[in-house]
Amino acid sequence: MDKKARILAVDDELANLKLLKSILSTSEYDVAFAVNGKDAVKRLETEVYDVVLLDIMMPDMDGYRVLDRLRKWDRIWRTRVIVLSALDDVEDKLRAFDLGAVDYVTKPFNKNELLSRIEARLSQPTMLETVGVSIKMLTIELNHIKEATQSLTKAPQDTAKLLSAAERRISQLLLYYHLKKIDLRLNAVMLKRYFDALCQEVHPTYKVDVHFNAKPDLSIAGDTNLLEKMFRAVFAFNAQRRESNELVVEVFAQADIVLMTLTDMGEQIATNQLAALFDPTAMDESGDFAHNLALANAAVIADKHGGSISCVSKALETTVTIKLPRRHGG
């Protein structure tokens, strides 16, 4: 890192600020502190921080109101907000993510976990940086359209293919940013019942066999329309690698999360390509899109639900794992 990352820690409890100071002082960060929400907003009016560590339960202006103010100012695009809170309900986490937070760490937290979360978020671009790259990506697609137009006279048989590819990628890129800003419509989703309906909906495009290794009342808080988009994207990726539309989903329940996995025996995916699967800004050596953006869009949906999508690949075994928070009572 060429220069020190700037971090603003916001908490109304002096003991918590002292703890954060002791944790962050040993790292290569330039750290500032705000003693309440209003103090944080005042600092963020004039200063840009790479990461904001934000408490939720504060008097006068709580963390949710700070997030809402940042969103209205469009400051949320310039930084990465990690919520640090004793609130552990799924609904609290989803509200924070919906307002623009990129991570949520429950108090009391482990020092090494917090530092690793900060490093992980610093390794990812802010939304503003992503937009800059995406403008470049759109420019590339416009050049593809220009090439397609020129091919009308030189190679007319290639025109439809070029235009179709450019249109598909632009649509996916626009969907990516639409998903980033869309509000969730949350309902209690009974997963066994949901998967039964989903399997019928996607048949015969995909023949999905769900192994439900949990109690039948397992549930999450989710937006069913967005969840369907997420699962369809993952199904398409898995089917392409299996060279078959017969898919198997394993569902497991852990203390606070639901795990859903799909495994194939296709060719191993290189480590650098794994990260690119979920990165809409990833480019290949020719300066074109590295991948179809469907999985990146699916990852946004999982993230908005307070979860994640990851992929691990080794010889003859590649597994996509979807993690979503369990709903209390399910």
Side-chain angles (χ1 to χ4, degrees):
M1 206 176 292
D2 294 333
K3 62 177 182 179
K4 287 187 176 182
R6 302 192 69 203
I7 296 179
L8 177 65
V10 186
D11 202 304
D12 65 313
E13 295 286 343
L14 184 59
N16 291 336
L17 289 180
K18 286 182 176 179
L19 174 61
L20 288 171
K21 182 178 181 180
S22 68
I23 292 173
L24 299 173
S25 62
T26 61
S27 306
E28 293 299 316
Y29 300 131
D30 180 6
V31 186
F33 300 92
V35 296
N36 53 48
K38 290 182 178 179
D39 187 21
V41 166
K42 184 176 180 180
R43 289 174 178 274
L44 290 162
E45 281 180 341
T46 56
E47 299 288 335
V48 176
Y49 295 91
D50 299 292
V51 172
V52 177
L53 302 177
L54 180 64
D55 183 33
I56 290 294
M57 295 186 294
M58 296 183 291
D60 298 327
M61 177 179 279
D62 65 16
Y64 293 127
R65 289 180 62 192
V66 174
L67 280 167
D68 188 52
R69 182 71 63 87
L70 290 176
R71 188 172 65 164
K72 288 177 178 177
W73 284 345
D74 280 342
R75 292 290 200 283
I76 206 74
W77 290 65
R78 299 174 180 270
T79 189
R80 308 159 182 87
V81 178
I82 299 176
V83 170
L84 307 180
S85 177
L87 299 175
D88 196 28
D89 287 346
V90 171
E91 289 76 12
D92 294 316
K93 296 178 182 180
L94 291 176
R95 184 181 178 189
F97 285 123
D98 198 38
L99 288 169
V102 298
D103 209 342
Y104 196 109
V105 180
T106 305
K107 296 178 181 177
F109 48 79
N110 176 273
K111 170 185 175 180
N112 292 330
E113 179 192 5
L114 179 61
L115 290 174
S116 66
R117 295 281 191 101
I118 293 172
E119 280 298 311
R121 293 306 174 181
L122 283 172
S123 69
Q124 299 172 347
T126 63
M127 283 297 293
L128 186 63
E129 291 166 344
T130 303
V131 167
V133 175
S134 298
I135 290 172
K136 180 181 177 181
M137 294 164 71
L138 284 172
T139 301
I140 291 172
E141 293 310 318
L142 291 174
N143 286 335
H144 286 162
I145 294 173
K146 182 179 179 181
E147 290 173 12
T149 305
Q150 292 171 342
S151 71
L152 280 170
T153 55
K154 297 179 181 178
Q157 69 277 9
D158 295 333
T159 301
K161 183 179 179 181
L162 288 167
L163 285 174
S164 177
E167 180 184 16
R168 183 178 65 254
R169 289 189 293 254
I170 289 174
S171 295
Q172 288 182 330
L173 188 60
L174 292 175
L175 176 60
Y176 178 83
Y177 288 108
H178 172 68
L179 292 171
K180 280 284 189 181
K181 296 181 74 69
I182 196 172
D183 291 328
L184 295 178
R185 297 182 178 181
L186 296 175
N187 292 289
V189 179
M190 304 294 289
L191 281 177
K192 193 172 189 313
R193 188 185 307 165
Y194 175 79
F195 274 118
D196 289 343
L198 180 63
C199 290
Q200 292 183 13
E201 179 72 23
V202 300
H203 186 84
T205 305
Y206 307 111
K207 297 177 181 178
V208 183
D209 184 13
V210 179
H211 295 176
F212 206 83
N213 307 293
K215 293 181 179 179
D217 62 349
L218 180 66
S219 67
I220 62 172
D223 184 315
T224 53
N225 290 329
L226 291 181
L227 288 175
E228 181 178 341
K229 291 181 185 294
M230 178 186 74
F231 282 116
R232 281 182 177 273
V234 176
F235 290 167
F237 173 78
N238 191 247
Q240 181 182 31
R241 291 182 51 77
R242 292 172 69 96
E243 298 182 352
S244 165
N245 69 343
E246 297 181 359
L247 314 177
V248 177
V249 180
E250 299 280 354
V251 181
F252 304 92
Q254 294 186 352
D256 296 317
I257 63 172
V258 178
L259 291 178
M260 291 154 282
T261 64
L262 292 90
T263 301
D264 66 73
M265 293 186 293
E267 183 179 348
Q268 182 174 357
I269 305 173
T271 303
N272 63 323
Q273 293 178 331
L274 284 174
L277 286 173
F278 304 102
D279 183 3
T281 68
M283 302 279 206
D284 61 22
E285 293 179 356
S286 67
D288 203 346
F289 281 102
H291 292 283
N292 180 293
L293 299 182
L295 274 186
N297 290 338
V300 171
I301 294 171
D303 187 67
K304 288 184 76 71
H305 282 81
S308 65
I309 299 180
S310 59
C311 185
V312 176
S313 187
K314 56 186 179 182
L316 299 179
E317 185 177 305
T318 295
T319 300
V320 175
T321 300
I322 303 169
K323 294 182 180 181
L324 295 175
R326 288 184 65 170
R327 180 173 173 270
H328 285 280

